[in-house]
Amino acid sequence: MKSAVETLNPTRVRLTVEVPFEELKDSLDAAYKKINQQVTVKGFRKGKIPARVIDQRFGRGAVLEEAVNEALPKFYTDAVNEAELNVLGQPEVDITELKDGETLNFTAEVDVRPTLEIPDYSGIEVEVDAVEVTDEDVEEAVEQLRERFASTSPVERAAEDGDVVTIDLEAKVEGEVLEDGIASGVSYTIGSGELLDGIDDAVKGLEAGGEGTFTSELKGGSAAGKEAEVTVKVTQVAARELPELDDDFAQLASEFDTLEELKADSRKRLENTKQYDQATQAQERVLDKLLELVEVPVPEKLLEDEVNTRKHNLEHHQLGQMGLTLDKYLEIQGKTAEEFETETREAAVKGIKTQFVLDELVKQEKLNVNQEELTEHLMRRAASSGMSPDQFAQAVVEGGQVPLLVGEVARGKALAVVVESATVKDTNGEVVDLDDEDEAEGETGAAEAVEAAAGDESAEQAEGKADQKAEEKAAEKTEG
């Protein structure tokens, strides 16, 4: 076999392959054997039909077609390996010449990863938000904790903002009560915005036993997105009572003896959170600067596939779980279809560039992923998917997703290397020392930043496989 490579553009090549006919012998033998098992000829036992008889009855062309179809993937793969190409996606193959007994010639056009030159990135500088926790931040955090420990007591008066009401609901669409449109004994805090639009105005002013109606668009259920007439009946009104902010509250709500100790702990927690946010911001901004330094051509076919995948995942997974259509989502976001298309394409371009650049850095820096790092990453993914680590790991292995997750971790390590060499200052002009961050946490945060930028499909695929596997196991138990 002889092959040659022609570069069509920085991300696409054409392979020209010439195969001597004798190299098709194994495939021809396999083709005759396969046809032998599929056909019958009077006077011959099944599987024992001579090749010449098959040629006479069914045509030599049918045998050649079967043989070529069986052999092409191997010859293509051999040509790719010989040229040391890093191909993307499936090739477009064209058989240019097939002469029985002489030769098989074909071409294959395929996208390839572009060759990238990573320049010196040690001069990257970024600015991030300063870590500042005000007294107001601490008071707000303590107040939120206080809200969690609020108690309620029934009152005999009209409902007001902040009250907790127990209500019965009935929803009608076009005059018909929905099968899933009846709910009883629902607890609702007026003003929380946790139920339907319009419910606050409907229940305020009602005492226990009072009833009202309002119109609202349903957020979920069988009639999600439709306008419904909702009848709400108040069965109880309860006033919320907040505990006093004192040492007794600190002992009730925490392991601390005094309110001052509780506030000091709240301040420390807020500082830790803001430091984590600051590190994440640094990683994201360093990545943006790195991408600006590298010229990255993007294969058009890969880009189209990525755009379509992102749209599909949004529309059929994320929005589907929320009971929203794409049109309704765009309405809520205040975006036009054209704006959504542009944003999705820009995000896809950034995602592809991120993977290309960081994968090149993984090779350049000779970074490896050990078992401990992969296990930690799997556990984090399992937690986000709501599955146990064992279930998730099994689903990932069975779905063939392990190499993709290894890539995620490796890219996170590559970004961590760049962040470590960058100069990061806060808005006060102070240099931020990210070396104080735990190394494992830094790489985990970098992996998350990469996933956010890349819209990492591998993670979604892994979680999708895991969810599918969980559903299959549940079905097996039900059937059993």
Side-chain angles (χ1 to χ4, degrees):
M1 184 193 81
K2 293 193 303 183
S3 64
V5 180
E6 176 188 357
T7 300
L8 302 178
N9 62 49
T11 63
R12 193 165 180 83
V13 299
R14 179 189 292 122
L15 283 163
T16 301
V17 184
E18 298 179 12
V19 183
F21 204 79
E22 57 265 24
E23 293 188 29
L24 280 172
K25 183 180 183 307
D26 290 343
S27 297
L28 279 168
D29 291 343
Y32 278 117
K33 185 176 181 179
K34 181 176 180 180
I35 293 173
N36 241 308
Q37 299 299 323
Q38 294 175 339
V39 302
T40 57
V41 175
K42 189 175 182 179
F44 296 95
R45 285 182 296 163
K46 195 174 185 66
K48 299 296 183 180
I49 308 170
R52 60 179 176 77
V53 175
I54 290 177
D55 288 346
Q56 292 169 355
R57 290 293 187 93
F58 305 102
R60 175 72 168 175
V63 180
L64 287 174
E65 182 179 356
E66 180 65 37
V68 169
N69 287 339
E70 193 270 343
L72 271 178
K74 177 185 180 303
F75 292 132
Y76 165 73
T77 301
D78 288 346
V80 166
N81 292 337
E82 183 180 297
E84 299 181 343
L85 298 176
N86 196 338
V87 299
L88 301 166
Q90 297 300 313
E92 295 179 4
V93 177
D94 181 28
I95 298 174
T96 56
E97 186 175 25
L98 176 57
K99 288 185 178 180
D100 194 358
E102 295 184 28
T103 187
L104 163 66
N105 298 337
F106 69 91
T107 61
E109 288 191 17
V110 65
D111 286 334
V112 294
R113 279 183 179 252
T115 301
L116 302 181
E117 292 292 332
I118 307 295
D120 179 18
Y121 48 78
S122 61
I124 289 178
E125 295 186 8
V126 297
E127 184 180 73
V128 295
D129 295 335
V131 174
E132 297 175 342
V133 178
T134 65
D135 291 342
E136 289 74 15
D137 294 332
V138 175
E139 295 298 329
E140 182 180 347
V142 172
E143 189 62 29
Q144 289 175 354
L145 181 62
R146 186 184 179 205
E147 290 278 348
R148 288 169 49 192
F149 283 85
S151 60
T152 60
S153 57
V155 292
E156 294 183 2
R157 59 167 173 75
E160 302 172 354
D161 272 327
D163 285 343
V164 178
V165 290
T166 304
I167 54 178
D168 298 335
L169 296 166
E170 180 184 86
K172 292 181 181 180
V173 173
E174 297 178 353
E176 296 292 329
V177 178
L178 300 172
E179 288 186 11
D180 56 353
I182 299 176
S184 301
V186 177
S187 180
Y188 174 67
T189 301
I190 299 176
S192 66
E194 294 173 351
L195 281 179
L196 299 169
D197 293 337
I199 193 170
D200 289 338
D201 291 336
V203 296
K204 278 192 294 187
L206 295 180
E207 298 184 17
E211 191 173 293
T213 60
F214 63 100
T215 301
S216 183
E217 183 178 299
L218 298 178
K219 298 179 180 178
S222 62
K226 293 185 178 180
E227 288 288 326
E229 182 183 272
V230 183
T231 300
V232 54
K233 180 178 180 180
V234 177
T235 59
Q236 185 185 76
V237 178
R240 298 176 73 251
E241 297 176 0
L242 297 174
E244 291 293 328
L245 278 178
D246 53 23
D247 292 347
D248 289 338
F249 169 69
Q251 295 166 22
L252 170 69
S254 70
E255 70 271 30
F256 301 106
D257 293 327
T258 68
L259 183 60
E260 288 307 309
E261 289 175 326
L262 173 59
K263 288 183 177 181
D265 180 70
S266 296
R267 182 180 294 276
K268 183 62 178 175
R269 288 174 184 272
L270 289 170
E271 287 174 350
N272 289 340
T273 298
K274 291 198 173 189
Q275 285 172 351
Y276 181 84
D277 292 343
Q278 185 189 64
T280 300
Q281 191 179 64
Q283 290 153 359
E284 292 171 349
R285 293 184 178 179
V286 167
L287 175 59
D288 288 341
K289 289 284 188 180
L290 176 64
L291 295 181
E292 290 175 6
L293 293 177
V294 188
E295 184 68 30
V296 186
V298 176
E300 189 59 34
K301 178 65 166 59
L302 180 64
L303 176 58
E304 292 304 319
D305 289 345
E306 178 68 14
V307 168
N308 291 333
T309 296
R310 287 170 181 256
K311 289 179 181 176
H312 178 85
N313 286 338
L314 174 65
E315 191 167 2
H316 297 282
H317 295 297
Q318 296 165 263
L319 297 183
Q321 292 175 356
M322 295 186 289
L324 292 176
T325 64
L326 180 58
D327 289 341
K328 186 61 182 177
Y329 168 76
L330 294 179
E331 180 185 330
I332 293 172
Q333 294 292 315
K335 296 177 183 176
T336 65
E338 291 75 17
E339 289 171 334
F340 170 72
E341 180 73 27
T342 299
E343 289 179 6
T344 303
R345 182 167 291 270
E346 289 174 351
V349 168
K350 182 178 180 181
I352 293 170
K353 288 184 175 182
T354 295
Q355 292 200 23
F356 283 175
V357 170
L358 294 182
D359 284 345
E360 185 64 31
L361 265 174
V362 169
K363 290 193 298 182
Q364 181 175 303
E365 300 292 341
K366 296 181 173 59
L367 301 175
N368 296 307
V369 176
N370 61 40
Q371 187 60 48
E372 182 180 351
E373 292 166 336
L374 181 59
T375 298
E376 181 182 340
H377 190 62
L378 281 171
M379 291 180 69
R380 182 168 64 86
R381 281 293 181 204
S384 67
S385 71
M387 298 181 69
S388 73
D390 288 345
Q391 288 175 319
F392 187 79
Q394 181 181 353
V396 166
V397 171
E398 292 178 359
Q401 304 296 309
V402 173
L404 297 175
L405 294 185
V406 170
E408 287 180 15
V409 181
R411 285 189 284 272
K413 295 182 72 170
L415 178 57
V417 169
V418 181
V419 172
E420 185 178 351
S421 69
T423 299
V424 181
K425 293 183 179 180
D426 66 21
T427 49
N428 294 328
E430 300 291 330
V431 174
V432 178
D433 186 5
L434 297 175
D435 291 339
D436 291 341
E437 187 177 12
D438 179 82
E439 182 178 350
E441 288 184 4
E443 291 177 357
T444 296
E448 291 174 350
V450 171
E451 290 154 23
D456 226 325
E457 185 59 19
S458 58
E460 294 179 1
Q461 288 173 348
E463 292 178 9
K465 293 281 186 182
D467 292 341
Q468 181 181 357
K469 186 58 63 177
E471 291 172 5
E472 289 172 357
K473 288 185 179 294
E476 289 171 5
K477 290 180 179 179
T478 303
E479 292 167 4

